[in-house]
Structure formats: C-alpha cells, structure tokens
Amino acid sequence: AAGIQPVMVTGDHPLTARTIAAASALADADTAVVEGRELEGLDDAALRRRVAAAGVVARVAPEQKLRIVRALQANGEVVAMTGDGVNDAPALKQAHIGVAMGLSGSDVSRDAADMVLLDDNFATIVNAVEEGRLVYANIRRFVRYILGCNLGELITIGSAPFLGLALTPLQILWINLVTDGLPALALAMEPGEADLMEQAPIQPGESIFARGVGRSILRSGVVFGALVVGLMVLAERQQRPWQSMAFTTLCLAQLGHALSARSERPLIRVPPGSNPWLLAAVLSTAVLQLLLLYVPPLARFFGIEPLSSSDLALCAGVSLAFLLLLESDKLITLWVRRRRERKG
C-alpha cells in the first residue's frame, strides 16, 4: 500500500522460499520462483527484464545478490537491501539503503549498511519509513507556513514606507520571534495523516517546493501582504490606529495560517485535537498579543495603543478572511488535481 515492493532474494531452496513468501503474504502458493541458475547465463539487459517482475528469487549465490540489486537500480528503482551475513556486504553497500540485522548480523554487514535493525524485525523497516515520511511532511508544513508568512511580512514592511506608514523594529521582532516562532515549532509535532502509508513514495531528488508548495507559498504571501497593506491604508485614511491594527492583524492572520498549514486538505477534514501543541501555541500567542494591546506598560513599550472593539473586530475579520482564502485555495487545488487525474 505504501508503494514499496518487497522481493525475497535468498539462498534457500525454492520450496522453502515459496512457503515462507506465501505465509508472509509476499506471494501466493502458485507464484513462480526464479532460481539462481536461471540468472547465471543472462547478460545485464536480460537480467534487468527478468528481475523486474520477480517476487521470489531462490538458490542465489552472494554475487548474484549484488547483480540483482544493480539490475533493479538500472530499472530506475530505489533499492533497500536487507542482510546479515558477510556475503551480503557487497549488496548492502551497493543498495541505496543497506539494512543489516543488529542481533544476528555480522560486524561486516553492519559496517556496510546504512541502517541497523536492533530488533532484527523486518516490520521495523515499515515503522522507519512511516517516521521518515512524517518528518518530511512536517518539514514541508513548516516551510510552507514560515516562508508564506515571511513573504507577506516582507511585502507589508517593504511597501509601508512608500505609503508613509511603517512598523517599529520592536514590533517586527515580536512578529518574527513569537507569532512566527511558536506555531512553527508546534507544526513539527503534527501527527501523520491517516493515509500517510498509502501515498506514493517521494521521488529521489524532488525539491521540497514541488507538488504545489512553492506556488502555495507565493500565493499565500502575496494575499497576506495585500490584505495587511490594504488594512493599513484604510485605517490611516479613517484616522484609526493603523499601526496597532496592522501589527495585530499580522499576528492574528499568522495564527490562522498555522492552522491551515496543518494539511493540504481542507481544515474541516483534519481532527482538531490531533495536535494539542499547535492549539496551545495558537491560543497562547493570541493571549500574548491581547496582553500587549491592553496592558498599558506593554503597550507603551511596543509603541501601540489599545484597540476599540470595532477596530479589533476589523483585524479579526481580515485575519479570518485570509484563513478562508487559504482554505478556498486548497479546495481549488484539489479540484484541479482530481480533474487532471481523471483526464490522465
């Protein structure tokens, strides 16, 4: 289901290999077993074709394991090789990921491997794959959130002086350290989605901005900056406390962005309590922002003034509009992707 095809390559008898493969659901009882003697006279091109569809290979010599790994790699596959003996070392070294047994494996095989199973349990590889996918997914969430926010801040802070408006360095520092930092760190604690192990593997060399992340960062950053700049101009023309409103909107909108960044799916399809760390970060950051506004010593220190209920409601409304735009963008992206898949 994870897009990973297990292949049994063993020196054991074909009947033994077939029985164990059937018992472990790697193959059925009628599966044809390729024997090592069938591979001896094949050249590299023929070997590539033969092993492409092979599920069980028995009676292989150690040097044939190395040839099989090379043939699979030549077919464009990313190969992980497991082994425990001295004779497995060349194949373990050749594979993209060599996996040795930590309990029963030889010192040579462990030294040649990239990963060692301390419990000698093949299922541990599945857990490692799941953990790796989760880490990569959380890195993408972090990058999407932090760069999208920073682009919006850059647009706001860069354009404000040309409009005769500007935030203070202390306010900018607060936004970068607190309202950016706490939710971003909490996103790293996001649990995996339900279908994490049913997704296709990531292609080697894929950019972290692939599959729409780069476009999402650009769209969210431009919209974020445009909304805040528009609010600043409107508030200044209506003689409202534009600086405090822009500062507050930057903070509140980023909290909504953090919630949206949890998944590429619509937020309503994400269990709300699955990441309590993010909820705690969002709530605590919102409380800290309100303390800055309404505790006089803090407000004076940051150069802001308390907002009226209508001004605060406007800031919250713009922040909510930004969140709704982010969610709408997800829906449009998913619709376009599904339409392409149906056409394909």
Side-chain angles (χ1 to χ4, degrees):
I4 302 171
Q5 178 60 51
V7 178
M8 179 185 292
V9 181
T10 176
D12 289 333
H13 191 278
L15 292 177
T16 304
R18 181 188 289 115
T19 301
I20 294 177
S24 56
L26 293 178
D28 55 46
D30 298 326
T31 298
V33 178
V34 178
E35 295 191 42
R37 61 187 179 186
E38 300 178 39
L39 308 179
E40 289 179 356
L42 299 181
D43 58 21
D44 291 342
L47 180 64
R48 288 173 54 184
R49 292 191 296 270
R50 189 70 181 91
V51 301
V56 180
V57 186
R59 288 293 194 198
V60 296
E63 61 271 15
Q64 289 179 325
K65 292 183 179 180
L66 177 61
R67 286 195 68 199
I68 291 171
V69 170
R70 287 174 173 168
L72 291 171
Q73 290 175 328
N75 287 338
E77 304 288 355
V78 176
V79 181
M81 167 72 185
T82 63
D84 58 2
V86 174
N87 292 334
D88 293 325
L92 290 170
K93 193 70 175 178
Q94 175 65 34
H96 294 100
I97 307 167
V99 184
M101 303 299 140
L103 296 178
S104 60
S106 63
D107 291 340
V108 174
S109 66
R110 289 197 296 268
D111 290 341
D114 302 290
M115 183 171 76
V116 177
L117 301 181
L118 298 181
D119 57 2
D120 283 10
N121 189 345
F122 188 78
T124 302
I125 299 175
V126 181
N127 299 332
V129 171
E130 184 174 14
E131 186 69 20
R133 290 187 177 190
L134 176 58
V135 169
Y136 184 72
N138 283 343
I139 291 174
R140 283 168 57 89
R141 292 185 182 103
F142 177 90
V143 169
R144 182 189 292 113
Y145 167 71
I146 206 72
L147 292 186
C149 287
N150 285 348
L151 178 58
E153 294 168 14
L154 181 63
I155 292 173
T156 301
I157 296 168
S159 60
F162 296 100
L163 302 172
L165 311 170
L167 298 177
T168 66
L170 191 58
Q171 293 168 356
I172 297 171
L173 184 63
W174 173 267
I175 293 170
N176 282 322
L177 290 182
V178 180
T179 57
D180 270 2
L182 291 179
L185 292 175
L187 279 173
M189 306 299 292
E190 188 70 26
E193 298 191 23
D195 64 344
L196 182 65
M197 289 299 286
E198 297 174 6
Q199 300 172 8
I202 305 301
Q203 293 300 315
E206 177 186 277
S207 168
I208 200 169
F209 299 106
R211 291 181 285 131
V213 170
R215 293 190 296 272
S216 175
I217 291 171
L218 183 61
R219 289 194 299 267
S220 62
V222 171
V223 171
F224 184 23
L227 286 174
V228 178
V229 171
L231 175 67
M232 291 173 65
V233 173
L234 177 64
E236 194 273 337
R237 290 181 178 177
Q238 295 180 352
Q239 296 184 344
R240 294 186 177 190
W242 59 266
Q243 191 178 63
S244 299
M245 293 178 68
F247 177 51
T248 302
T249 303
L250 279 170
C251 295
L252 295 181
Q254 289 185 57
L255 302 183
H257 193 183
L259 293 174
S260 180
R262 294 184 62 188
S263 174
E264 295 181 3
R265 300 175 177 178
L267 192 57
I268 58 174
R269 295 175 58 184
V270 180
S274 60
N275 187 355
W277 297 101
L278 181 61
L279 296 180
V282 168
L283 291 175
S284 60
T285 303
V287 170
L288 288 173
Q289 184 64 28
L290 293 176
L291 289 176
L292 290 190
L293 285 172
Y294 297 110
V295 176
L298 292 176
R300 287 194 298 269
F301 182 73
F302 280 88
I304 57 178
E305 55 185 285
L307 298 178
S308 65
S309 57
S310 61
D311 290 340
L312 184 59
L314 180 58
C315 295
V318 172
S319 302
L320 179 60
F322 178 53
L323 174 59
L324 294 177
L325 288 171
L326 290 175
E327 292 301 296
S328 299
D329 182 63
K330 288 183 185 179
L331 292 173
I332 294 172
T333 301
L334 288 174
W335 178 78
V336 171
R337 185 180 302 168
R338 289 171 182 170
R339 189 174 180 182
R340 288 176 178 173
E341 290 174 354
R342 285 196 295 267
K343 288 183 177 180

